[in-house]
């Protein structure tokens, strides 16, 4: 029996590619070349499945160019690189990697919050540049984490993980805003209070963004929202580029309308708005919130398991859409 053909669109752990080879005819990308949309479409023209990361756009044009494609397994919990409606209409299954990265990503959100509020990278650059010649009473004085108010926008699994760290570990008062309110037991576990976005922005000492990207969440934080925040507040974005208007944020940071920001994701990444590179009061990291070795392995394993389960007829393990059976492409 011929094996289904799959494309592994980015370099991943070699042993996981070997595991995929036991089930599939695999075209891999060990050199980690970034293919253009046209190159990706050409490589998918004869493939039954794809293993992607957040950097490959799966849209109607690509689906037309890849008539055999039946499943795309994203190695990420976020899947805003998928046009889910187009995939569903074309009968193509999409999957993501929830749960396995929740705690690691929540750890990172908290680390970025602490580094930002306590001005860690700014002070390290100062030290490395040989500028530290004497101690002074207000040198790199930042803002407190313990006992402060943490405002979380987007209260899914990762948001809840951050809330628990803040409330239980640091005695923070946690307020949150979400499309829907959490069940009472989850609010109690997180010690979190539901508030409007306006109240959150006006009262939080630290605003943490963990909301998925969609047209509706585009520029959740722009100039108007930044103006509602306290001048002493910090803003942390571990969600997706495009949730924050990066140009407006650079202005707010430069003019000290808010105290500081910590950003792991950017509009148009890996490009970063040039003004963010020159303001001192921002901590910048290259989209690494889920980047620990065990977690990245777990994400890659789950994406691989989704492909294997799907082609074994067991159904996708973590689907993001439900193509109608009559629309599904023949296996
Ligand atoms: C995710 O899983 O969505 C992370 O942002 C990694 O891409």
């Amino acid at each position: 029996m011929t094996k289904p053909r799959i494309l592994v669109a980015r370099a991943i752990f070699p042993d996981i590619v070997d595991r995929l080879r036991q089930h599939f005819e695999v075209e891999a990308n060990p050199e980690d070349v970034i293919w253009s949309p046209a190159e990706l479409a050409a490589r998918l023209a004869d493939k039954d499945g794809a293993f992607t990361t957040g950097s490959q756009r799966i849209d109607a044009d690509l689906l037309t160019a890849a008539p055999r494609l039946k499943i795309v397994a994203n190695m990420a919990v976020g899947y805003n690189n998928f046009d889910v409606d187009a995939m569903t209409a074309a009968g193509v299954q999409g999957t993501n990697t929830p749960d396995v990265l929740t705690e690691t990503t929540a750890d990172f959100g908290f680390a970025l919050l602490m580094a930002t509020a306590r001005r860690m990278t700014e002070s390290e650059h100062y030290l490395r540049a040989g500028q530290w010649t004497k101690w002074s009473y207000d040198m790199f004085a930042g803002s407190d984490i313990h006992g402060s108010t943490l405002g979380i926008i987007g209260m899914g699994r990762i948001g809840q993980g951050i809330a628990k760290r803040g409330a239980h570990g640091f005695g923070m008062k946690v307020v949150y805003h979400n499309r829907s309110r959490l069940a009472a037991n989850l609010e109690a576990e997180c010690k979190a209070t539901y508030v409007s976005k306006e109240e959150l922005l006006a009262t939080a000492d630290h605003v943490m963004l963990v909301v998925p990207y969609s047209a509706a969440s585009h520029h959740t934080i722009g100039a108007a929202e930044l103006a509602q925040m306290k001048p002493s507040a910090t803003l942390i974005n571990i969600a997706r580029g495009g949730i924050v208007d990066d140009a407006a944020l650079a202005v707010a940071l430069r003019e000290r309308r808010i105290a500081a920001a910590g950003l792991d994701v950017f509009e148009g990444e890996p490009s970063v708005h040039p003004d963010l590179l020159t303001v001192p009061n921002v901590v910048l990291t290259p989209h690494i919130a889920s980047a620990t070795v065990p977690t990245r392995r777990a994400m890659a394993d789950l994406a691989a398991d989704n492909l294997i389960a799907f082609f074994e007829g067991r159904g996708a393990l973590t689907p993001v859409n439900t193509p109608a059976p009559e629309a599904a492409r023949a296996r």
Side-chain angles (χ1 to χ4, degrees), residues 113 143-145 147-151 172 200-207 229-230 232-235:
L113 166 59
S143 54
D144 274 324
I145 305 291
S148 64
T149 298
L150 172 62
M172 297 174 94
L200 184 149
L201 292 173
T203 58
D205 297 303
H206 308 288
V207 175
M229 291 172 63
K230 296 181 182 182
S232 56
T234 61
L235 176 71

Side-chain angles (χ1 to χ4, degrees), residues 81-254:
N81 56 315
F82 288 177
D83 180 337
V84 175
D85 291 342
M87 289 171 72
T88 305
V92 174
Q93 180 70 67
T95 67
N96 68 339
T97 58
D99 300 321
V100 294
L101 47 58
T102 300
E103 299 303 329
T104 294
T105 305
D107 281 352
F108 186 88
F110 222 85
L112 191 55
L113 166 59
M114 298 199 72
T116 303
R118 297 303 307 271
R119 305 175 64 178
M120 284 185 181
T121 56
E122 195 185 348
S123 59
E124 187 190 352
H125 289 151
Y126 170 89
L127 181 152
R128 285 181 188 271
Q131 291 173 288
W132 185 28
T133 53
K134 63 176 175 25
W135 180 93
S136 66
Y137 76 97
D138 61 349
M139 191 168 67
F140 294 107
S143 54
D144 274 324
I145 305 291
H146 72 274
S148 64
T149 298
L150 172 62
I152 302 176
I153 299 184
M155 199 63 155
R157 289 165 281 225
I158 297 169
Q160 291 170 40
I162 292 168
K164 286 177 196 160
R165 282 160 177 76
H168 299 287
F170 290 82
M172 297 174 94
K173 175 179 174 194
V174 178
V175 294
Y176 77 98
H177 184 72
N178 199 41
R179 267 177 315 181
S180 52
R181 197 171 161 171
L182 293 185
N185 64 320
L186 291 179
E187 280 192 353
E189 274 174 33
C190 296
K191 291 194 182 176
T193 305
Y194 183 82
V195 295
S196 67
K197 183 177 161 191
E198 292 68 32
E199 185 178 343
L200 184 149
L201 292 173
T203 58
D205 297 303
H206 308 288
V207 175
M208 176 80 66
L209 302 171
V210 208
V211 67
Y213 182 81
S214 67
S217 63
H218 182 73
H219 287 187
T220 294
I221 301 292
E225 289 76 18
L226 290 161
Q228 292 171 52
M229 291 172 63
K230 296 181 182 182
S232 56
T234 61
L235 176 71
I236 309 298
N237 186 8
I238 58 164
R240 274 290 181 272
I243 299 288
V244 174
D245 177 343
D246 286 348
L249 175 61
V251 172
L253 289 168
R254 192 177 302 286

